[in-house]
């Protein structure tokens, strides 16, 4: 039976499977350490569009297209889509995925939205209300700078605690079944929507036997919903420190609810705390009796080469954790290198209005337990 | 068994109950035709705060406080809260309800968010993941004008097709059980958080026997998730016309999925189409073979006195459908005047950025079937 566990966690009776996923990123991310793993890398930040916002919409559109294609599914096979982004009124989502005509449930959890989407997708399927749902989130460096900070044209100097918003979108097909038959024509070749936009396509999937079944990449076996945590920090150029208390809160609650310990996970993966936030999180949890220093990993730290690409504190954005999950984390689970990880995207809840009115930057973090699918 | 029905609908095995609800509104709404039914009416639009955004946050805080109090519940009795508003990055929510320390799932569906929250709350409870959840949404005339249109100080003239954003917040406690024991001290007297802010308090609840059980006001027996529908309209001063195609789409899909007809409902209630949108919706559905003209009601039309208060096309905002549901619609169901209604808040998906970039205003609408609880 599905059940609530402890104060803020839930456990589905049966695992919910991540059947397929896709990642689409910008050129900077393509040149980073995970570059070869992304499905689609844009030639430039505009992706053939006229505005940054349109470009971000396009990221979502392409990520959904690829994730559907990899699972050999059509839009009408999907019961609903959980989606969100960082822009005011989530316009990247509204203009990105409408053409699929899939019932939409829009989310806002700042950079934690990927976790929230996977969490609610799991609830929807495990609750018996859907067979397949899609989750997609995105962020874009230029649209985010415009939304939250200064026009790029100012050439404003960024402090070392600042993050570099990831240009990217990750999409995930969640499914009740771990394996489905592959329709004959569903290969990556058929998924290339506009080759001109891509400098490089991952060939991993094209080499698979097109007659074989499609096996899930991983499964969700537990979820913990985060609450807003506000330590009163007001520096929008230090999001890591703003989000760390919320991630510590969700993580501690997760350990209590599931009666688990840091070492029960091969990795505990935060979304975009970066170097500053990582230090704060590890310290906060040490004070509460948990040492996660050996298993902690942060998508914002992994996605860029700190020496060569100088992202300052690290990457961030709704897209950061999503593309790292799709390209890297699920690969590790698929290949059996990791058996069980805790994936916890982290969000900083601010707007330019709240910042200009002198408000603090509260944080939130949602966690999902991801496990390898037994072969 | 919970099940997916048709393309976009779901039916819980057992009804999910709306145990209690509360509505907090501004002075203009308090002077309207539903004025006497709201729980708390503010003295002015600032509710004792320094900014419009803070005032809107306060609306959510008070609505949650009252809804919890009416059900005799504490914040820790609630598994999670589904919440959202219209402001960029949903800051009314982030700064409104954090003090309750309830796990938060942030939503964005523009003015359809109240429907989305009830929908997901139903899924969460019917899926076995929670016993009680909270849903809350808000809007505020002044924060919305600032967010979407012009500074109020300009005194801009509004066309007749424009809406007046409702200052208000509605909160709902959803529950697996239809009846719970009333804790001895849980009466409305104990819920008055700051009497100075209120010009008037509803006395309905104080007269109840404090020893009696708390009975649900209504129950959710079906849901239909909407998709984005874009007819290419670009006039942000005519939201009714922008949203009507989406509400027609969700409604038609609902009728198909449930095999129902307009007359199966005592009322089909949209969120904030206003006079213009109502005309368009009725016409669009007539073309598709459904005549809803006799059962249609719109919260945006009901909430203001069209002659005395001149809201132009009608009220709008995340708060419009929420406070009308709490104060009026649930009352009608509770008193047995209506047995079954379809409640469908409608949202216009735009931001000032998308508007300034010349984009259209797509719409979305989510529907929940609300039924009277058999006594």
């Amino acid at each position: 039976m599905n059940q609530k566990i402890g104060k803020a966690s839930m456990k589905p009776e049966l695992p919910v499977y991540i059947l397929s996923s896709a990642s689409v990123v910008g050129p900077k991310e393509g040149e980073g350490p995970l570059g070869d793993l992304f499905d689609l890398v844009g030639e430039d930040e505009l992706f053939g569009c006229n505005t940054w916002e349109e470009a971000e919409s396009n990221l979502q559109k392409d990520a959904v297209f690829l994730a559907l294609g990899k699972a050999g599914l059509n839009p009408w096979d999907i019961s609903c889509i959980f989606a969100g982004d960082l822009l005011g009124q989530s316009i990247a989502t509204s203009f990105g995925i409408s053409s699929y005509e899939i019932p939409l449930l829009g989310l806002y959890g700042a950079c934690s939205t990927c976790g929230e989407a996977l969490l609610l997708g799991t609830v929807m399927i495990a609750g018996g209300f859907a067979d397949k749902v899609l989750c997609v989130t995105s962020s874009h460096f230029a649209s985010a700078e415009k939304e939250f900070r200064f026009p790029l044209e100012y050439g404003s100097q960024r402090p070392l605690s600042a993050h570099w918003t990831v240009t990217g979108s990750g999409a995930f097909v969640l499914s009740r079944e771990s394996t489905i038959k592959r329709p004959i024509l569903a290969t990556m070749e058929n998924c290339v929507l506009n080759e001109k936009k891509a400098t490089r396509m991952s060939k991993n999937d094209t080499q698979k036997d097109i007659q074989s079944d499609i096996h899930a990449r991983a499964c969700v076996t537990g979820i913990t919903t985060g609450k807003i945590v506000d330590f009163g920090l007001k520096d929008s150029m230090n999001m890591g420190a703003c989000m760390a208390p919320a991630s510590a809160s969700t993580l501690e609650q997760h350990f209590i609810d599931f009666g688990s310990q840091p070492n029960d996970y091969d990795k505990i993966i935060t979304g975009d705390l970066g170097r500053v936030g990582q230090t704060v999180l590890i310290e906060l949890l040490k004070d509460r009796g948990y040492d996660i220093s050996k298993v902690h990993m942060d998508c914002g730290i992994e996605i860029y080469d700190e020496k060569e690409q100088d992202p300052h504190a690290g990457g961030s954005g709704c897209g950061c954790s999503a593309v790292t999950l799709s390209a890297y984390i699920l690969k590790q689970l698929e290949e059996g290198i990791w058996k069980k990880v805790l994936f916890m995207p982290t969000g900083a809840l601010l707007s330019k209005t709240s910042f200009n009115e002198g408000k603090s930057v509260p944080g939130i973090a949602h966690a999902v337990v991801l496990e390898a699918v037994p072969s």
Side-chain angles (χ1 to χ4, degrees), chain A:
Chain A
M1 221 164 63
N2 297 327
Q3 52 183 314
K4 190 187 163 195
I5 295 193
K7 258 192 186 171
S9 300
M10 300 159 197
K11 204 172 158 47
E13 181 181 10
L14 297 168
V16 168
Y17 295 93
I18 301 180
L19 198 58
S20 71
S21 72
S23 53
V24 182
V25 298
K28 187 180 174 93
E29 292 70 24
E31 288 160 11
L34 308 180
D36 287 342
L37 303 175
F38 298 121
D39 293 311
L40 193 62
V41 180
E43 245 171 28
D44 62 34
E45 297 269 347
L46 272 172
F47 289 78
C49 301
N50 292 319
T51 66
W52 308 125
E53 291 76 18
E54 230 180 81
E56 189 177 341
S57 290
N58 224 61
L59 291 175
Q60 285 203 15
K61 194 175 180 178
D62 290 0
V64 166
F65 193 94
L66 291 171
L68 282 173
K70 285 189 190 188
L73 296 171
N74 288 301
W76 51 86
D77 297 318
I78 304 294
S79 295
C80 65
I81 185 162
F82 290 95
D85 59 87
L86 297 178
L87 303 181
Q89 290 76 37
S90 303
I91 50 166
T93 299
S94 300
F95 294 99
I97 52 172
S98 60
S99 58
Y100 294 110
E101 303 206 357
I102 301 171
L104 166 73
L105 293 157
L107 307 180
Y108 187 76
C111 308
S112 75
T113 309
C114 180
E116 186 181 351
L118 294 172
L119 185 165
L120 285 170
T122 299
V123 165
M124 190 65 99
I125 289 176
F129 291 104
D131 281 329
K132 289 181 189 65
V133 309
L134 249 163
C135 303
V136 62
T137 59
S138 67
S139 54
H140 189 292
F141 172 71
S143 67
E145 287 297 305
K146 178 172 153 188
E147 178 76 28
F148 292 100
R149 294 177 194 96
F150 299 103
L152 287 177
E153 291 81 353
Y154 285 11
S156 300
Q157 211 169 0
R158 303 160 63 243
L160 286 172
S161 60
H163 286 242
W164 190 277
T165 307
V166 165
T167 297
S169 174
F172 307 86
V173 175
L174 302 193
S175 161
R176 188 190 303 277
E177 282 96 38
S178 64
T179 306
I180 62 167
K181 287 269 171 226
R182 185 188 298 262
I184 290 170
L185 290 176
T187 66
M188 280 290 286
E189 279 89 352
N190 298 298
C191 301
V192 182
L193 43 170
N194 185 351
E195 263 191 87
K196 283 180 196 156
K197 285 188 301 190
T199 53
R200 173 157 39 92
M201 287 285 302
S202 157
K203 292 290 170 198
N204 301 342
D205 289 77
T206 58
Q207 290 148 9
K208 279 186 188 161
D209 176 5
I210 61 161
Q211 297 302 325
S212 69
D213 288 342
I214 294 169
H215 299 287
R217 305 193 67 190
C219 57
V220 183
T221 58
I223 52 188
T224 302
T225 312
K227 62 184 183 186
I228 297 173
V229 178
D230 189 352
F231 269 28
L233 298 168
K234 294 188 175 183
D235 186 357
S236 77
M237 292 292 192
N238 189 352
M239 309 293 260
C242 295
M243 295 186 286
S247 59
S249 156
T250 302
L251 207 40
E252 186 187 17
Q253 194 61 54
H254 178 84
F255 291 142
I256 293 169
D257 289 350
F258 283 90
S260 61
Q261 288 290 328
N263 293 334
D264 294 338
Y265 305 90
D266 293 313
K267 287 283 170 195
I268 290 173
I269 305 163
T270 48
D272 51 0
L273 292 182
R275 284 288 172 203
V276 179
Q278 180 180 49
T279 313
V280 180
L281 170 64
I282 290 174
E283 280 302 311
L284 283 174
L285 278 173
K286 212 169 258 172
D287 291 347
R288 299 174 196 186
Y290 299 99
D291 179 7
I292 63 159
S293 60
K294 287 196 185 60
V295 289
H296 183 251
M297 177 190 125
D298 183 69
C299 301
I301 295 175
E302 300 297 319
I303 198 163
Y304 298 121
D305 185 313
E306 286 177 283
K307 281 186 189 148
E308 298 293 322
Q309 297 187 291
D310 189 24
H312 289 14
S316 67
C318 274
C320 177
S321 54
V323 300
T324 307
L325 174 61
S326 175
Y328 179 59
I329 302 167
L330 291 180
K331 185 171 172 283
Q332 299 290 96
L333 287 164
E334 212 168 26
E335 293 175 359
I337 298 166
W338 299 334
K339 297 285 181 213
K340 184 180 182 179
V341 303
L342 189 69
F343 176 68
M344 181 172 66
T346 38
L349 301 165
L350 85 162
S351 77
K352 59 184 162 235
T353 305
S354 70
F355 179 78
N356 287 336
E357 289 178 350
K359 302 290 260 185
S360 57
V361 183
I364 193 162
H366 302 295
V368 292
V369 181
L370 298 175
E371 295 191 42
V373 181
S375 55

